[in-house]
C-alpha cells in the first residue's frame, strides 16, 4: 500500500492540534451561558428546518434541491427521516413526475438522488434528450452539470448513461475555454474533477444553483447557519478522536519498536473519517483505525524490512496463529504479532458484546490471507518474474488491505450479522461483493501512480508493469486507458451492488461507497502523491471555518 509523506502529515497534525482559539476569553459563567444560547438557537433552527422539510415532501423540484444541498453540506445525518420521506415520495411518483418534462436538470437530479439512495430507477427518462442523428441535445450549464453527475450512477449495460457522460463532459470542457464568470468556471471544474458519487467535493458554493429558485433564501440562511455550527461540533469530536488515537498509538509502541515502518496515525484516521461520516459513529471510527494501522505496518514488514526466511516464518505463524512459533521470530516481528493478536481478540470481544457473535476466528483467517498475499507479492518481485496482469490484480485486491479492514467494519456494524442464522455463523461469514470491488478500485487507482513510494526502499510492483510486460508493444497511455476502464467497470458493479434489493445494510453500503470515494483523494498522484489535496481535505474535516 503506497503511502504519502509521513513528515508532511506529522506537520499537518501539529497544525491542526495547535490552532489557537481566536475568540476572546470570557468568564466561565458567561461562556457557559453563551454556549447554552447558541445550542438552543441551533436546536431551534434544526427544528424549523425539519418542519420545513416535512411541508416540502411532495414538492417535485424544490425538495430535490434541498436534499442535494443538505447532502453536499454534509449535514444529512440531522435530517435522515425527512430525506427518506422525500425520496420515497419521489420514487413513488417517478414516472408521473418525469412525464413530458424537458428539464434535464430536474430529471437528472431526481435520477441521481434516487440511485444514490438505492432506488433502481430506469434510464429511459433520458431518451427524450436525444435525437436520432446528433445524440444528446445541448442544454444549459446547470442541466449539463447535473447530467454529468447523474451519469456517474450507471451500471453495466446502460449505454445511454455512457453517452450522457461523454456528451456532458465534452460540453462542459468546451465551456471552460469560453468567457465564463469565476463561479461558473469553478463549478464546472469541480464537477468534472470531483463528481459527487466518486469523490469528496473539495469546494461547494451551495447558492450556485438555488439563487434563481423562489424562496430559496428563506431556508438557505438557516441551513448554512446549522451547517456551520454542526461542522464545528463535528470538528470538535474529530479532534477528541485524534487525541484518543494518538494516545492508543503511543501506548501500543509500534512506532518506537518498528522505526522502519510508517508512523502516520493521522493519515490512517483519514480513512476512518471518510468511511464513517455520521457524527454518532465516533466509537467505530476509533476502532477502525486499529486494523488500518496494522495493515500499513505489516505491509512495511514485507516491503522494507523482512528477509525471505523471516517473512515465510512470519506468514506461517500467522497462518497457524501459533503462539509457540512466535519465539522463533525476530524481535520486531514478535512485537508486531503480539499487537495483532491483542487487537484481534479485543475486536472479537467488542463485537460479541454488541451483536452476540465472536468473529475472531474469521478475522484471524483474513489476517493469514493478507500475509500470504503479501508473501506472494514479495516472492514475485524478488524473483523478477511478475505474473500476468489478472493474477497480479487478484492478489493485489487482497494486499490492498481493503477486504480485511472492511470485514472488521462489517462485523462492527453488525446489522448484517443479525440476519444470518446461527448455523452459518459457525462457518466462514460471507462478505459482500461490494468490499472486493472497493479493493479493486483502490489497487488499480494506486497503481496508476508511482509504484515506488517516495519514503520507502521497498518495491511492490504494479498492475501497469504487469500489463505492459504481458502486452508487448503497448504504450503507457493505452495501459492507463485500460486501467481507467477497469476502474469505471468496478464502479458500475459497485453501483449495482448498492441498488435495491440490496443484500447489505444502508449504513454499510454507504461506508463502502465512501471508501471508494476516498481512494481518488488518498492516492492522487497529480500533486506530490496527493499531499496538497489530502492536507486540504484533512483541514476541512478537522478545523473550524465558515462555509464558503
Amino acid at each position: 500500500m503506497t503511502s504519502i509523506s509521513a513528515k508532511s502529515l506529522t506537520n499537518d497534525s501539529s497544525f491542526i492540534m495547535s490552532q489557537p482559539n481566536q475568540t476572546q476569553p470570557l468568564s466561565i459563567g458567561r461562556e457557559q451561558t453563551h454556549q447554552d444560547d447558541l445550542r438552543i438557537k441551533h436546536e431551534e433552527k434544526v427544528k424549523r428546518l425539519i418542519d420545513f422539510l416535512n411541508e416540502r415532501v411532495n414538492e417535485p423540484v424544490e425538495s430535490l434541491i434541498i436534499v442535494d444541498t443538505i447532502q453536499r453540506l454534509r449535514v444529512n445525518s440531522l435530517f435522515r427521516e425527512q430525506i427518506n420521506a422525500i425520496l420515497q415520495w419521489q420514487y413513488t411518483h417517478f414516472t408521473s413526475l418525469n412525464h413530458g418534462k424537458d428539464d434535464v436538470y430536474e430529471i437528472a437530479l431526481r435520477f441521481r438522488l434516487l440511485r444514490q439512495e438505492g432506488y433502481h430507477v430506469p434510464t429511459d427518462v433520458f431518451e427524450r434528450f436525444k435525437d436520432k442523428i446528433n445524440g444528446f441535445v445541448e442544454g444549459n450549464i446547470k442541466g449539463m452539470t447535473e447530467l454529468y453527475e447523474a451519469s456517474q450512477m450507471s451500471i453495466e449495460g446502460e449505454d445511454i448513461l455512457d453517452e450522457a457522460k461523454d456528451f456532458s463532459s465534452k460540453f462542459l470542457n468546451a465551456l471552460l475555454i469560453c468567457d465564463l464568470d469565476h463561479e461558473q468556471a469553478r463549478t464546472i471544474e469541480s464537477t468534472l474533477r470531483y463528481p459527487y458519487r466518486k469523490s469528496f467535493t473539495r469546494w461547494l458554493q451551495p447558492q450556485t444553483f438555488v439563487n434563481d429558485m423562489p424562496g430559496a433564501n428563506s431556508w438557505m440562511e438557516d441551513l448554512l447557519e446549522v451547517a456551520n455550527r454542526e461542522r464545528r461540533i463535528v470538528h470538535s469530536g474529530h479532534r477528541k478522536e485524534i487525541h484518543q488515537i494518538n494516545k492508543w498509538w503511543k501506548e501500543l509502541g509500534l512506532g518506537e519498536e518498528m522505526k522502519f515502518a510508517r508512523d502516520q496515525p493521522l493519515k490512517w484516521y483519514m480513512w476512518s473519517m471518510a468511511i464513517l461520516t455520521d457524527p454518532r459513529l465516533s466509537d467505530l471510527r476509533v476502532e477502525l483505525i486499529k486494523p488500518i494501522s496494522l495493515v500499513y505496518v505489516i505491509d512495511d514488514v514485507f516491503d522494507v524490512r523482512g528477509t525471505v526466511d523471516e517473512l515465510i516464518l512470519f506468514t506461517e505463524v500467522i497462518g497457524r496463529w501459533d503462539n509457540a512459533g512466535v519465539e522463533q521470530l525476530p524481535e520486531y516481528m514478535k512485537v508486531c504479532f503480539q499487537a495483532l493478536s491483542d487487537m484481534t481478540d479485543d475486536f472479537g470481544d467488542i463485537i460479541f458484546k454488541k451483536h452476540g457473535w465472536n468473529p475472531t476466528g474469521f478475522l484471524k483467517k483474513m489476517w493469514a490471507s493478507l500475509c500470504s498475499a503479501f508473501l506472494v507479492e514479495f516472492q514475485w518481485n524478488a524473483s523478477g518474474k511478475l505474473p500476468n496482469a489478472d493474477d497480479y490484480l487478484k492478489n493485489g485486491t487482497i494486499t490492498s488491505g481493503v477486504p480485511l479492514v472492511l470485514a472488521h467494519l462489517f462485523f462492527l456494524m453488525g446489522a448484517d450479522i443479525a440476519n444470518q442464522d446461527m448455523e452459518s455463523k459457525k462457518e466462514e461469514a460471507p462478505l459482500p461483493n461490494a468490499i472486493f470491488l472497493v479493493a479493486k478500485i483502490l489497487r488499480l487507482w494506486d497503481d496508476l501512480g508511482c509504484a515506488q513510494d517516495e519514503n520507502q526502499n521497498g518495491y511492490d510492483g504494479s498492475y501497469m508493469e504487469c500489463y505492459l510486460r504481458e502486452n508487448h508493444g503497448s504504450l503507457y497511455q493505452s495501459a492507463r486507458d485500460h486501467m481507467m476502464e477497469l476502474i469505471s467497470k468496478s464502479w458500475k458493479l459497485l453501483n449495482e451492488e448498492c441498488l435495491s434489493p440490496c443484500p447489505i445494510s444502508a449504513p454499510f453500503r454507504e461506508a463502502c461507497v465512501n471508501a471508494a470515494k476516498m481512494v481518488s483523494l488518498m492516492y492522487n498522484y497529480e500533486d506530490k502523491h496527493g499531499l496538497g489535496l489530502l492536507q486540504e481535505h484533512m483541514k476541512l474535516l478537522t478545523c473550524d471555518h465558515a462555509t464558503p
Side-chain angles (χ1 to χ4, degrees), residues 104 107-108 111 115 121-132 134-137 144 146-169 492:
V104 66
I107 289 177
F111 177 89
R115 279 266 174 121
V121 289
T123 60
D124 57 9
V125 292
F126 296 106
E127 291 288 350
R128 73 198 65 185
F129 302 109
K130 295 176 57 180
D131 64 41
K132 294 181 180 179
N134 300 314
F136 275 86
V137 178
M144 291 296 100
E146 192 50 54
L147 182 63
Y148 181 80
E149 292 278 19
S151 71
Q152 308 300 316
M153 300 304 307
S154 66
I155 64 177
E156 286 204 299
E158 293 184 330
D159 295 342
I160 191 169
L161 288 185
D162 293 335
E163 294 176 46
K165 179 182 178 182
D166 291 342
F167 177 81
S168 57
S169 62
K492 288 181 178 183

Side-chain angles (χ1 to χ4, degrees), residues 526-543:
E526 297 177 11
D527 176 21
K528 296 181 181 179
H529 283 220
L531 275 175
L533 292 179
L534 190 60
Q535 287 179 332
E536 180 181 328
H537 190 69
M538 182 165 54
K539 292 173 184 177
L540 177 70
L541 292 177
T542 56
C543 295

Side-chain angles (χ1 to χ4, degrees), residues 13-134:
S13 174
S14 300
F15 170 82
I16 291 172
M17 301 304 291
S18 63
Q19 286 299 289
N21 188 346
Q22 301 297 324
T23 60
Q24 294 297 319
L26 300 171
S27 68
I28 295 176
R30 289 177 59 199
E31 175 66 18
Q32 186 60 52
T33 300
H34 178 65
Q35 291 301 323
D36 288 345
D37 289 343
L38 289 177
R39 177 181 54 79
I40 291 170
K41 289 179 181 177
H42 178 68
E43 291 172 353
E44 289 174 347
K45 284 187 171 64
V46 172
K47 176 64 166 59
R48 190 155 63 235
L49 284 166
I50 288 174
D51 292 340
F52 172 75
L53 287 168
N54 286 334
E55 294 170 358
R56 295 298 189 278
V57 168
N58 58 355
E59 287 289 336
V61 183
E62 184 182 10
S63 64
L64 293 173
I65 295 173
I66 297 168
V67 167
D68 185 39
T69 306
I70 288 172
Q71 291 179 345
R72 289 179 179 273
L73 287 170
R74 301 188 181 97
V75 290
N76 40 305
S77 62
L78 295 176
F79 309 104
R80 287 194 186 278
E81 185 178 333
Q82 290 70 39
I83 291 173
N84 289 340
I86 287 170
L87 295 181
Q88 179 60 50
W89 185 88
Q90 293 279 344
Y91 176 67
T92 301
H93 298 84
F94 185 77
T95 301
S96 60
L97 289 171
N98 292 313
H99 181 69
K101 289 286 179 65
D102 58 2
D103 184 347
V104 66
Y105 170 72
E106 176 187 339
I107 289 177
L109 179 59
R110 179 175 294 116
F111 177 89
R112 175 173 66 84
L113 292 179
L114 288 172
R115 279 266 174 121
Q116 284 174 184
E117 199 62 26
Y119 292 105
H120 199 164
V121 289
T123 60
D124 57 9
V125 292
F126 296 106
E127 291 288 350
R128 73 198 65 185
F129 302 109
K130 295 176 57 180
D131 64 41
K132 294 181 180 179
I133 299 175
N134 300 314

Side-chain angles (χ1 to χ4, degrees), residues 317-373:
V317 167
I318 291 181
R320 299 190 305 266
W321 216 261
D322 181 6
N323 290 316
V326 172
E327 292 306 314
Q328 303 174 53
L329 296 173
E331 189 61 31
Y332 75 95
M333 285 185 171
K334 290 180 183 177
V335 172
C336 185
F337 178 81
Q338 189 60 54
L340 176 59
S341 180
D342 291 345
M343 184 205 70
T344 305
D345 288 341
D346 288 345
F347 256 82
D349 290 342
I350 291 169
I351 293 165
F352 180 77
K353 289 175 183 177
K354 289 182 68 173
H355 308 298
W357 180 57
N358 190 330
T360 301
F362 181 79
L363 294 177
K364 287 179 177 179
K365 289 180 181 179
M366 292 211 68
W367 282 109
S369 175
L370 177 70
C371 290
S372 294

Side-chain angles (χ1 to χ4, degrees), residues 342-504:
D342 291 345
M343 184 205 70
T344 305
D345 288 341
D346 288 345
F347 256 82
D349 290 342
I350 291 169
I351 293 165
F352 180 77
K353 289 175 183 177
K354 289 182 68 173
H355 308 298
W357 180 57
N358 190 330
T360 301
F362 181 79
L363 294 177
K364 287 179 177 179
K365 289 180 181 179
M366 292 211 68
W367 282 109
S369 175
L370 177 70
C371 290
S372 294
F374 278 147
L375 182 61
V376 167
E377 197 172 71
F378 176 88
Q379 292 171 331
W380 281 338
N381 292 315
S383 68
K385 298 178 181 178
L386 293 180
N388 63 50
D390 287 343
D391 287 343
Y392 168 85
L393 186 56
K394 183 178 180 180
N395 194 72
T397 59
I398 304 301
T399 60
S400 72
V402 171
L404 185 141
V405 169
L406 290 184
H408 280 74
L409 182 60
F410 179 69
F411 299 134
L412 276 173
M413 298 186 89
D416 302 276
I417 299 173
N419 295 326
Q420 298 178 21
D421 61 56
M422 290 307 298
E423 193 61 34
S424 68
K425 293 178 185 179
K426 296 177 183 178
E427 306 300 329
E428 291 191 359
L431 293 176
N433 189 45
I435 287 176
F436 299 96
L437 292 169
V438 176
K440 190 173 182 180
I441 290 169
L442 186 150
R443 174 51 60 214
L444 288 166
W445 194 278
D446 185 17
D447 285 0
L448 277 172
C450 182
Q452 187 166 6
D453 188 277
E454 62 185 77
N455 289 321
Q456 289 181 265
N457 297 319
Y459 182 69
D460 291 346
S462 72
Y463 182 90
M464 175 78 74
E465 185 174 354
C466 292
Y467 181 85
L468 289 173
R469 286 192 181 192
E470 187 177 341
N471 296 272
H472 299 292
S474 293
L475 300 177
Y476 169 83
Q477 187 58 47
S478 65
R480 181 179 175 84
D481 291 343
H482 170 70
M483 292 173 71
M484 290 301 296
E485 181 59 32
L486 290 179
I487 291 171
S488 176
K489 181 178 180 180
S490 296
W491 261 109
K492 288 181 178 183
L493 292 171
L494 180 58
N495 286 340
E496 190 167 11
E497 286 289 317
C498 294
L499 293 177
S500 179
C502 183
I504 55 180

